[in-house]
Amino acid sequence: MGKGFFISKTVVIVGGILAAGALATIIALSVVYSQEKAKNDSFQVLTTPEPPVTATGTPTGTPTGTATGTPTVTPTGTVTGTPTGTPTGTATGTATGTAAPSNKPWDKYRLPKSLVPDHYNVTLWPRLTPNETTGLYIFTGESSVEFECVEETDLILIHSNKLNYTIRENGQRAVLTSVNGEKAPSITKSWRRTETQYLVLELDGKLTKNSMYRLSTIFTGELADDLGGLYRSEYMENGVKKVVATTQMQPTDARKAFPCFDEPAMKAVFHITLLHDNGTMALSNGMEKSSTNITRDNQEVLQTVFEPTEKMSTYLLAFIVCDYDFLNNTIDDVLIRIFARKPAIAAGQGDYALNITGPILKFFEDYYNSSYPLPKSDQIALPDFNAGAMENWGLITYRETALLYDESFSSNSNKERIATIIGHELAHMWFGNLVTLRWWNDLWLNEGFASYVEYLGANNAEPLWNVTDLMVLADVHRAFGVDALATSHPLSSKEEDIQTPAQINELFDAISYSKGASVLRMLSDFLTEDVFKQGLQTYLDEFKYNNTVYRDLWDHLQRAVEKSDTVQLPNTTHNIMNTWVLQMGYPVVTINTTTGMISQQHFLLDPDSNVTTPSPYNYEWIVPIKWMKNGETQTPLWLTSKSATNESVKASDSDWVLANIDVVGYYRVNYDQGNWQRLLHTLSNNHELIPVINRAQIVDDAFNLARAKIIPTVLALDTTKYLINETEYMPWESALDNMDFFYLMFDRSEVYGPMQQYLKQQVTELFNHYTETTDNWASVPEGHMDQYNQVNALSLACRTGLPECLTVVKTKFNDWMEKDVPIHPNLRSVVYCNGIAAGDAKEWDFAWSKFKNTTIASEAEKLRSALACTTQPWLLNRYLEYTLDADMIRKQDATATIISIASNVIGQSLAWDFVRTRWSYIFNQYGGGSFSFSNLITGVTERFSTEFELVQLKQFKADNAEVGFGSGTLAIDQAIETTGSNIKWIAENKQNVLDWFNAEIKPQ
C-alpha cells in the first residue's frame, strides 16, 4: 500500500503561523459516518454476538430469498424482500454482550491450519442507489469456496465482518458439500463471532483429511462510505451525484466484502462476477471475460464475468463499479489502462500516468528479471480513498492526487508524487503480490522494499530529477526521527505479537515504510546493486505464487554474495542485517580523528529516556562506513564491535574527515571537536568540496546530536551560517526541517523574534537569487530540485516577514482573487496560505468557495491545506467542525485538515481541544483499525513542550483508556516521551539559543 501521507515539497511557511513545515503532511483517515450512521448502527449487527442457529432450531425473521433478490435492510439487520428461491428465515437474535475470551478456536485471531482454500466463486451486486425504505446503500452476494482439509476437524472458521447471511434450506448460514462425491458432515450450528470476525460453523462429524469441500453462502452487506472493504465513493459531475462502488481490502477487510480465509498465506484463485447497472462499467483483478444483459428480480442489469485470477492473497482483491472513462495503450502485450472521472480523462489528467507506467513496468521487468505476470495493468483514481494507493494485483487504486496530473494546476511536487507512487505500486506487482510475506509481522519488508525501489522506478521515468537523492530527506530522515525514541519498535516483530486487526494496522508506520526502505538501500549499497538484484531475482523465482518470511530473502542474497568475486563482508548477510531488523533504533557512530577511535552507541533523542525493549544484540550494529578525507573517497570500513581503532581515520589540523557518504548507511555520525570545526570551515569557505547530500547530512546530524546532548546546540546552529551562500535544495530543506523544531519549541517565547531576524538574514540572498533568475517570480527554474528550493525561498522569506516577499505573495493573491490571474502551481501553496493568513473571512470564504468548486484534486489539496493558515480562531474552529461533516471535508482528508490546523500556532490549542473532547466519538466512529490514528495524535501534539501540556496528555491517555487508541496506541506513548524530552531540551537550551541568535543578528 502506498504511503497515506507524504512530505510536501511546497512547504508553506508564514511568519510564525505554521510550524513543522505546516501543511506538509497529507494523511488519509476515515473519520466518522455522516448523519446516516445513526441509521447504520442498527445494521452493523456484528458489533454484538448472536445466538447460533442450530439444526433443530427455528430461525427467526421473515421469509427471504437469495442475495440476488431485491433486499431491504430493516433496522435489525434482517434481510427481507421478494424471494427468488425457497423461502427461508433470517437469523437476527438478541444481543447478549461480548463473551469473555476463551481458548476456543473462534476466540483466537489466527485461523487454524486445518483448511486450505483452493478457489472461490464470488458474485457481488453493489447497489449504487439507496434503499427506498432505509436510505442505506447495500450490496448482496453469493460466494462458494472450495478448500482442502489438511487436518481432520469438525469446525470451520472463515472470516466474516459486518455481513448478514441468508438462512439456507438446511436452516444454517452456509451449505457444505463434498467435492469428491462423499457425504459431507452436516452443519449443526452457525454463528458469527464478532470480536475475532469469524463465521463459525460447527459440524456433526469430522472433515476427511486430503478431501475437498465446498462452502456456499448468500449474504448482504452495507455499501458504506467507511473506506474499507467494499465501500462507496461519491462525487459530483455536471450537478449530478455519482456513486462508485470500490474496495480497500488491505490488511483485513476482504472479509467485509465476502466470507473468506483472510490471511496473506491463504492464497487461492478467484472467479469474480459483478452485477451492475446499465451505463456503468465493472472492473476487477482479471480481464473481462464477458458482459451480458440479464434480468434479475425484474431489473435489467449487466453481468460481467472476469477471467480467473492468478493464485493470490485476499488483501489484493479489487472490485469496482463506476461510470468512468479511460485511456489505454499496449506495451509488449500488456494492456495498460488509466481510469478516472470522465471530465478528468477528457482534460488529459491521466496522460502523464499512462506515459510513465509502461517504462516503469519495463524497468521492473529488467530489475526483477521477470516478465510482468498479468495480461493487464489497470490503474484507477478514486475520489475517496484512505491511503495513497493500493497495489491490488492488476487493478491498482489511487487517490486522485496520486494518479492525476494537470499541468495547469499540479506542481512539480504533485508530479513527483505520482511518479514515485506509481513506482511503489508497480514494484509490488512482483514483490508482495507474486511473492507474498507469510504474515503481517514482516510487513516492513513488503512496504520497505517498495518504498526503496519506487525511487528507482521513478528515476527511470524521470532521469533528470535525481529523485533517488531525495529519498534521504523523505525516508531516511523521516525514519531517523521516529526511530530515535525509546518507544520505537524493531522492523520485524514476532508473529505471535501481531494478531488483531488493530495490531496489524499499527505496523503501517514510518518504521515499516521509511526505515525498511533505508536499511534495504544500505543493504543494496554494500552488496552492490548487481549482487542485490541477483539475490532478489532468484528469491522471486523460487517463491512465485507463494509466501515467505524475511529470512528467505537473506538466504538468496547470501548465495549471491558467495557467487560474487568482488563483495567482501565481515559476516553473513543474515548476521549483518539481523542487527538492523531485530532491534529497534540505530547507532550514532563517533569518529575521533585525533586518536583513530571509531565507536558506536544507541542514538536516543532523549538520552535520559528509559529503554525497556530488550535487544538481542545489546543495541550494537554491524555498521558499513563509507568515508572520505579532504574530498577524496577512502577504502570503506566496517565497525563490527562497540569500538575499534583505525589509523586511517586520523587527520591532521588541516585535514577533514566525512563519514557516511551520500547517507547510504542508516546511522548518524559524530566527530571530535577539531573535525567538526574543520567541516564548518570547509562549509564556510568552499562548501562544494562536500557532496550536496552530505551538506544536508551535516546539518541534520548536528541538530539531532545537539537534541541528544552529544554536541552543543550552538554548534548545530553554526552549521546554518554557510547557508547564506547555498543555493542547493537538499541542504536548505534539511536546515528548514530542523528549524521547524525550533519554531515548535519557541514560537510562543521570546526566542521567536531574534530567530526570525536571523533566518530572514540568511534567506534574503536566496530570495534575491530567485528574484533575479525568475524575472521577479514570474517564472520557475528548469531544474526539479531548483524548483523546490524556489518554493523554500519564498516560504521562509515570507515566514520571516521579508517585505519584498510579502509584496510578491500579496500581489499574486489579490490578482488571483480580484482578476482571476492564475498563479504558477509550484507557488500556489505559499501564496494561498499567505493570502489567507493576511486576510479575514472574505479571503477565507473566497478560498473555501474555490475549494468546493474545483474538480482538480491537486488544486483542492492545496486550497484545503491553505485554509488552515488563517489567523482567526473562529474560522479555525469552524473549519475543525467541517472535518466531521463529509459533505464539507472528505473523510480521507479529515486527519490532514486537523493536523494542518494544529500546525498553525493559533490553531494548535483549538485542534488539541477538539480532538480531546471528541475522541470517544471519533474513535468509535472511525473504527480502531484505522492506521491514521497515530498520525492524528502525533500531529496535534508535536508542539507540546510545557509541564501543563504533558499533564493534559497523560490525562488524555488515562481518560480514554477504556475507549482505546487503536493503531494510535504507540503514538500516545511516543507523544508523552517526546513532550518530556522537549520540556528538558527547552530548559537546558533556551538561554544559549537566545544568546546565539542575538549574537548572529547583523545590524540593519
Side-chain angles (χ1 to χ4, degrees), residues 425-438:
E425 305 312 326
L426 293 181
H428 274 311
M429 298 300 105
W430 290 264
F431 201 101
N433 297 8
L434 182 67
V435 177
T436 310
L437 277 305
R438 187 175 71 194

Side-chain angles (χ1 to χ4, degrees), residues 368-547:
Y368 295 129
N369 192 29
S370 174
S371 296
Y372 178 67
L374 302 177
K376 73 175 176 77
S377 175
D378 286 343
Q379 298 176 94
I380 186 167
L382 297 167
D384 300 284
F385 192 71
N386 203 6
M390 178 61 210
E391 65 269 19
N392 312 303
W393 213 7
L395 177 54
I396 305 172
T397 44
Y398 293 83
R399 279 193 177 205
E400 290 192 338
T401 53
L403 190 67
L404 303 182
Y405 175 78
D406 189 310
E407 191 172 9
S408 299
F409 293 90
S410 304
S411 65
N412 65 324
S413 176
N414 298 139
K415 195 172 188 179
E416 183 194 313
R417 186 184 187 215
I418 291 166
T420 53
I421 291 187
I422 288 176
H424 184 105
E425 305 312 326
L426 293 181
H428 274 311
M429 298 300 105
W430 290 264
F431 201 101
N433 297 8
L434 182 67
V435 177
T436 310
L437 277 305
R438 187 175 71 194
W439 183 242
W440 298 108
N441 62 308
D442 282 336
L443 172 76
W444 73 270
L445 183 55
N446 190 30
E447 295 299 350
F449 182 85
S451 296
Y452 165 47
V453 300
E454 70 181 51
Y455 291 96
L456 306 184
N459 188 63
N460 179 263
E462 297 285 1
L464 299 180
W465 288 356
N466 294 322
V467 71
T468 51
D469 292 350
L470 294 176
M471 181 179 169
V472 173
L473 297 174
D475 285 287
V476 181
H477 285 181
R478 175 177 175 237
F480 275 167
V482 179
D483 211 18
L485 301 176
T487 45
S488 184
H489 63 87
L491 277 172
S492 189
S493 307
K494 293 180 180 178
E495 190 169 339
E496 59 268 24
D497 291 341
I498 307 299
Q499 298 284 312
T500 69
Q503 289 170 337
I504 293 167
N505 275 289
E506 201 168 9
L507 294 175
F508 288 80
D509 65 357
I511 297 298
S512 293
Y513 282 79
S514 294
K515 181 179 180 177
S518 301
V519 300
L520 290 169
R521 173 174 174 263
M522 176 176 67
L523 172 61
S524 176
D525 183 79
F526 71 68
L527 290 183
T528 73
E529 186 176 2
D530 284 344
V531 171
F532 182 78
K533 287 198 299 184
Q534 289 167 17
L536 178 63
Q537 289 166 5
T538 58
Y539 165 83
L540 290 172
D541 185 59
E542 177 176 342
F543 295 106
K544 58 190 174 187
Y545 305 109
N546 218 320
N547 296 83

Side-chain angles (χ1 to χ4, degrees), residues 329-337 357-358 361-362 365 371-378:
N329 63 24
T330 301
I331 296 181
D332 292 345
D333 296 325
V334 176
L335 176 63
I336 297 171
R337 297 186 293 188
T357 294
L361 268 181
K362 296 303 294 181
E365 284 189 328
S371 296
Y372 178 67
L374 302 177
K376 73 175 176 77
S377 175
D378 286 343

Side-chain angles (χ1 to χ4, degrees), residues 172-210:
Q172 301 297 330
R173 292 179 172 84
V175 173
L176 179 67
T177 57
S178 171
V179 176
N180 306 92
E182 62 199 51
K183 187 178 185 303
S186 296
I187 300 172
T188 58
K189 292 182 181 178
S190 60
W191 51 287
R192 294 166 294 188
R193 182 64 173 124
T194 307
E195 181 68 22
T196 47
Q197 301 180 350
Y198 287 131
L199 173 61
V200 182
L201 305 171
E202 299 182 58
L203 311 179
D204 67 354
K206 290 188 179 294
L207 299 175
T208 305
K209 184 177 180 179
N210 299 328

Side-chain angles (χ1 to χ4, degrees), residues 555-575:
D555 289 341
H556 281 262
L557 292 173
Q558 182 60 30
R559 291 174 203 166
V561 168
E562 291 166 359
K563 291 178 181 178
S564 169
D565 297 327
T566 57
V567 178
Q568 301 295 321
L569 301 179
N571 211 313
T572 65
T573 303
H574 300 70
N575 291 338

